[in-house]
């Protein structure tokens, strides 16, 4: 379990550092597509780097989905959660140390006036629920016993990149409570006050996606 704890901590750290780092350190240069690819490539890299150790959840919503789908114990889920939140906070702290903006801008998620596309809270919640459900369906599908194991990391990374291409202007894209937690805790202010949505909506989406697998609605027959 210590190896899995370390893998999840490091994997989540890398996701935040690469994804949010692309937004903070290179956003104007790489644009929305570049930021999306940074998140996607980070997942691909970690899927093959730490996947054999922990499964590379690096996301509390994914661990929740694995639990609901019957693929993980509650005890292991909680251990993964602790590692993921610590990793995200460390990743955000490293980024804050590197960035000239300090803690004011760390790629935090949000919604409403003054935030990117200025979408409403309702739209932000809907986006996060739907996209998290889609994300965990892909993850549970490609990592299942009838999935395509060797290509799982690529499929998951492409999916995360596509979600970011679609939704960066809506919420900055969370689909991952830990990814939202690290930057928000350090940035404070509005990011911290809006953090609850990026816990609740991804959790709801994860449960929906996992139940579709658990109830065999999307489970392959052959």
């Amino acid at each position: 379990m210590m190896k899995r704890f370390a893998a999840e901590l490091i994997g989540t750290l890398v996701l935040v550092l690469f994804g949010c780092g692309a937004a903070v350190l290179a956003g104007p240069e790489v644009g929305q597509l570049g930021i999306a690819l940074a998140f996607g490539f980070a997942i691909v890299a970690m899927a093959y780097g730490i996947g054999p150790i922990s499964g590379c959840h690096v996301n509390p919503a994914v661990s929740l989905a694995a639990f609901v789908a019957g693929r993980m114990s509650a005890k292991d889920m909680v251990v993964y959660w602790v590692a993921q939140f610590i990793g995200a906070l460390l990743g955000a702290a490293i980024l804050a140390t590197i960035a000239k903006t300090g803690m004011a801008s760390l790629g935090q998620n949000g919604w409403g006036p003054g935030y990117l596309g200025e979408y409403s809270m309702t739209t932000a919640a809907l986006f996060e629920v739907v996209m998290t459900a889609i994300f965990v369906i892909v993850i549970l599908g490609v990592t299942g016993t009838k999935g395509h194991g060797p290509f799982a990391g690529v499929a998951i990374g492409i999916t995360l990149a596509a979600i970011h291409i679609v939704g960066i202007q809506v919420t900055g894209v969370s689909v991952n409570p830990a990814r939202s937690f690290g930057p928000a805790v350090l940035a404070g202010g509005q990011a911290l006050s809006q953090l609850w949505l990026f816990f609740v909506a991804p959790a709801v989406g994860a449960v929906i996606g996992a139940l579709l697998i658990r109830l065999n609605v999307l489970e392959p027959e052959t």
Side-chain angles (χ1 to χ4, degrees):
M1 179 54 76
M2 284 305 299
K3 286 184 178 180
R4 285 186 282 167
F5 182 92
E8 287 297 307
L9 187 155
I10 292 169
T12 313
L13 183 158
V14 169
L15 177 67
V16 171
L17 184 58
F18 282 18
C20 295
V24 174
L25 302 174
E29 288 75 24
V30 302
Q32 184 166 317
L33 178 59
I35 296 167
L37 292 177
F39 275 103
F41 288 162
I43 284 292
V44 172
M46 289 298 98
Y48 294 106
I50 67 170
I53 301 171
S54 69
C56 188
H57 292 190
V58 299
N59 181 340
V62 172
S63 298
L64 174 61
F67 169 71
V68 173
R71 300 185 187 179
M72 187 178 211
S73 70
K75 179 181 177 181
D76 286 354
M77 177 181 69
V78 172
V79 172
Y80 272 45
W81 281 355
V82 173
Q84 290 155 1
F85 282 114
I86 293 174
L89 190 58
L90 290 175
I94 293 171
L95 177 58
T97 302
I98 296 170
K100 295 179 180 179
T101 55
M103 296 184 184
S105 177
L106 294 174
Q108 54 265 35
N109 298 117
W111 75 83
Y115 186 87
L116 296 176
E118 300 190 337
Y119 286 84
S120 69
M121 181 184 72
T122 302
T123 301
L126 177 62
F127 173 83
E128 291 291 331
V129 168
V130 172
M131 292 301 175
T132 306
I134 292 171
F135 191 39
V136 300
I137 287 169
V138 171
I139 292 170
L140 295 175
V142 298
T143 59
T145 56
K146 299 175 183 177
H148 302 283
F151 300 100
V154 175
I156 294 167
I158 289 174
T159 303
L160 185 61
I163 290 171
H164 278 78
I165 291 170
V166 173
I168 283 179
Q169 290 298 315
V170 182
T171 64
V173 181
S174 173
V175 300
N176 182 338
R179 172 263 181 271
S180 299
F181 174 81
V185 167
L186 296 185
Q190 180 174 299
L192 192 57
S193 69
Q194 295 183 342
L195 181 60
W196 65 269
L197 185 143
F198 301 106
F199 278 60
V200 175
V204 172
V207 171
I208 292 172
L211 286 176
L212 291 174
I213 300 294
R214 183 72 181 262
L215 300 176
N216 295 319
V217 176
L218 295 176
E219 188 72 19
E221 295 181 359
T222 58

